[in-house]
Amino acid sequence: MPDQPVANIGVVGLAVMGSNLARNLASREGNTVAVYNRSRSKTDELVSTHPEAGFVPAFSYEEFAASLQKPRTAIIMVKAGRPTDAVIEELMNVFEPGDIIVDGGNSLFTDTIRREKAVGERGFNFVGMGVSGGEEGALHGPSLMPGGPDASWVTLGPILRSIAAVAEGEPCVTHVGHDGAGHFVKMVHNGIEYADMQLIAEAYDLIRRGTGKSPAEIADIFAEWNRGELESYLIEITAEVLRQNDAATGLPLVDVIVDEAGAKGTGAWTVQTALDLGVPVSGIAEATFARSLSSHREQRDVAGSLPGPSEDSFTVEDVDAFVEQVRLALYASKIVAYSQGFDEIRAGAAQYGWNIDLGAISKIWRAGCIIRAQFLNRIADAYDAQPDLPVLLTAPYFVDALTRAQDAWRKTVTIAAEAGIPAPAFSSSLAYYDGLRAERLPAALIQGQRDFFGAHTYRRTDAAGTFHTLWSGDRSEVEAEDTH
């Protein structure tokens, strides 16, 4: 270890994400990176494998702190939860007030709020930062969503801009907001990711069942889609996955993989938080529940004898027309997923006092992250034109897109229902869209029911105030105390 501090940034936690992020940092001009891992072997391996990086290895927290220039800045890349809390405590024991501790893991945003308060009370700057792009993004350029105090951004901003992905000349990083804002936005990003992936899977399933095309042939369809308005990372890798054959059996790999989708919790967090905020994210919710259903093999095996449409009830006469119909349904449903996600970010910002620029969020998602897609530029345009846009899908570009797509969307959902093919994300997205369109919803009846059994009151369309019907009495109406 050098006698004087030489590193301007440090990384704690050298599993794949941490080591790749450290390599990314070290590859950028002006950065010297200190590295530390609880097990020395990982540190030794990283340093010896990548001598070109010029890493400054540390084998204790004291050595790590001593190698960092002030204000010391460290990015934690360890498992969320207790491991993160433990590393934070260790760093505070060796850092000084004014130093910066960054949590780059997938932490729950409420944990980040708690941590920033506790760490701040001891004089340190704490930043919760969403990191998207997986292993490749961490190495070559992720999308970064840092929160934290303004003071930390002065030091951290130039470092993060140096390693972030670049879209149209702009680094995919912005100071999202204070305390938990960065991890909140990353959480919603992952929720949108769940919806996007489920929608793509439903499109694949419909095309395969309806046309009999092989996975490789469907890969060509997705590759073609990726040259148009659906251009995105997830569409691109879908084609790659569908083209892959299993070396052991020669079968398409997608046919060898067990049909049970895993999850790490961020989708569920997105839905739970949306419920708390009163924001409908039905597409994200159905995508999350679809993963849950896929994993309940014991229920699916038992339910295999349930009645459904006959196998020959689903026939496609014009294959090209059907594929285009599914493409439009996918695009329309994708618009809903992003719109619902941005609704949740706006509601979260209002609830927690964050000043989040929705247009800036769409721009930092254009490269580096998993949900990067061509139409994120259109989202940025929509918020540039109307920063207080109440519903994203009402922006002119998206209205035009939905006008083009809605007939195909409805036909696709109808075909899926009649054929007994589960398409929960397609159908729930359409139901949400029609709920927004409806001049009047059956919620009036629900409110009447609530008043009947619980005296929860209701409002009238023709008079101000709050009312209650004396259901167990003479059923006259009385004005009630306003509970709204």
Side-chain angles (χ1 to χ4, degrees):
M1 189 186 76
D3 294 333
Q4 297 295 323
V6 295
N8 66 313
I9 183 72
V11 176
V12 179
L14 302 178
V16 176
M17 282 292 289
S19 61
N20 279 7
L21 194 68
R23 289 171 58 195
N24 186 351
L25 285 160
S27 71
R28 312 297 172 156
E29 186 176 353
N31 290 337
T32 301
V33 185
V35 291
Y36 172 76
N37 193 79
R38 185 177 60 174
S39 76
R40 177 170 181 148
S41 60
K42 283 191 179 296
T43 306
D44 288 335
E45 180 183 1
L46 179 64
V47 172
S48 63
T49 306
H50 298 284
E52 77 286 352
F55 289 125
V56 181
F59 301 104
S60 70
Y61 282 105
E62 289 79 9
E63 285 186 13
F64 182 72
S67 68
L68 289 166
Q69 300 166 356
K70 298 179 182 179
R72 299 177 183 88
T73 304
I75 301 175
I76 301 170
M77 298 297 291
V78 301
K79 189 175 180 181
R82 290 182 180 178
T84 296
D85 283 321
V87 173
I88 291 169
E89 189 62 35
E90 293 281 6
L91 289 174
M92 287 194 293
N93 289 336
V94 295
F95 277 16
E96 297 175 0
D99 290 347
I100 302 166
I101 300 172
V102 183
D103 172 16
N106 262 340
S107 292
L108 181 60
F109 76 95
T110 50
D111 286 342
T112 305
I113 293 173
R114 167 182 60 80
R115 287 171 181 146
E116 187 181 34
K117 184 174 185 297
V119 172
E121 287 174 352
R122 292 173 60 175
F124 303 97
N125 291 303
F126 183 76
V127 175
M129 180 174 70
V131 179
S132 181
E135 298 171 13
E136 285 298 305
L139 181 59
H140 300 295
S143 173
L144 299 169
M145 294 150 262
D150 294 336
S152 65
W153 184 241
V154 176
T155 299
L156 200 55
I159 296 172
L160 297 182
R161 282 192 286 267
S162 77
I163 65 167
V166 176
E168 299 178 22
E170 298 176 307
C172 292
V173 58
T174 190
H175 185 208
V176 174
H178 295 155
D179 55 63
H183 277 140
F184 185 95
V185 168
K186 175 55 163 57
M187 173 191 74
V188 174
H189 164 283
N190 286 22
I192 295 171
E193 179 185 307
Y194 273 54
D196 212 344
M197 294 172 73
Q198 177 65 26
L199 290 166
I200 290 170
E202 291 177 14
Y204 153 76
D205 196 30
L206 282 162
I207 291 172
R208 188 165 187 188
R209 294 212 217 181
T211 68
K213 288 181 178 292
S214 69
E217 290 171 323
I218 300 174
D220 292 339
I221 292 171
F222 276 93
E224 179 63 31
W225 287 358
N226 200 45
R227 289 190 277 270
E229 61 190 357
L230 275 172
E231 180 190 346
S232 66
Y233 174 71
L234 285 171
I235 293 289
E236 176 189 340
I237 68 168
T238 296
E240 295 297 319
V241 172
L242 291 176
R243 283 199 184 98
Q244 183 69 21
N245 284 330
D246 175 50
T249 64
L251 296 171
L253 179 64
V254 72
D255 289 344
V256 179
I257 297 173
V258 174
D259 60 334
E260 298 175 15
K264 290 191 174 180
T266 45
W269 290 350
T270 305
V271 176
Q272 289 163 351
T273 302
L275 288 170
D276 292 337
L277 293 170
V279 178
V281 293
S282 50
I284 297 171
E286 288 297 345
T288 305
F289 290 137
R291 292 196 188 190
S292 299
L293 177 62
S294 76
S295 298
H296 283 283
R297 175 64 63 183
E298 75 290 352
Q299 292 182 328
R300 292 169 58 198
D301 288 344
V302 171
S305 60
L306 291 174
S310 62
E311 291 294 327
D312 59 0
S313 65
F314 185 23
T315 55
V316 173
E317 295 180 1
D318 188 333
V319 170
D320 290 342
F322 177 69
V323 168
E324 174 62 7
Q325 179 179 299
V326 173
R327 185 191 73 82
L328 288 168
L330 174 58
Y331 191 53
S333 299
K334 182 185 180 81
I335 291 170
V336 168
Y338 281 73
S339 183
Q340 290 180 344
F342 276 91
D343 282 350
E344 182 166 356
I345 293 173
R346 188 180 66 250
Q351 175 70 25
Y352 293 99
W354 299 321
N355 184 23
I356 297 179
D357 182 337
L358 297 178
I361 298 304
S362 66
K363 288 180 178 179
I364 68 171
W365 286 351
R366 291 177 299 172
C369 73
I370 302 302
I371 65 170
R372 58 187 184 264
Q374 181 193 92
F375 84 165
L376 282 160
N377 275 320
R378 306 290 77 78
I379 294 176
D381 293 342
Y383 285 118
D384 284 345
Q386 188 180 347
D388 60 348
L389 183 66
V391 183
L392 176 61
L393 54 75
T394 61
Y397 175 87
F398 296 116
V399 171
D400 290 345
L402 291 164
T403 299
R404 284 189 293 110
Q406 72 149 327
D407 286 347
W409 194 10
R410 296 181 190 286
K411 289 175 183 175
T412 301
V413 171
T414 299
I415 287 171
E418 289 179 342
I421 298 172
F426 273 160
S427 56
S428 65
S429 298
L430 178 59
Y432 169 83
Y433 173 74
D434 284 334
L436 286 180
R437 291 178 51 258
E439 290 186 12
R440 189 163 172 79
L441 292 167
L445 175 58
I446 294 171
Q447 199 62 7
Q449 294 168 332
R450 294 180 73 240
D451 188 60
F452 189 104
F453 66 69
H456 292 295
T457 74
Y458 53 85
R459 288 175 293 163
R460 296 179 59 93
T461 59
D462 57 358
T466 304
F467 300 89
H468 168 59
T469 292
L470 300 173
W471 297 102
S472 58
D474 62 4
R475 301 209 169 184
S476 60
E477 183 179 77
V478 296
E479 192 160 1
E481 182 180 348
D482 192 347
T483 59
H484 292 86

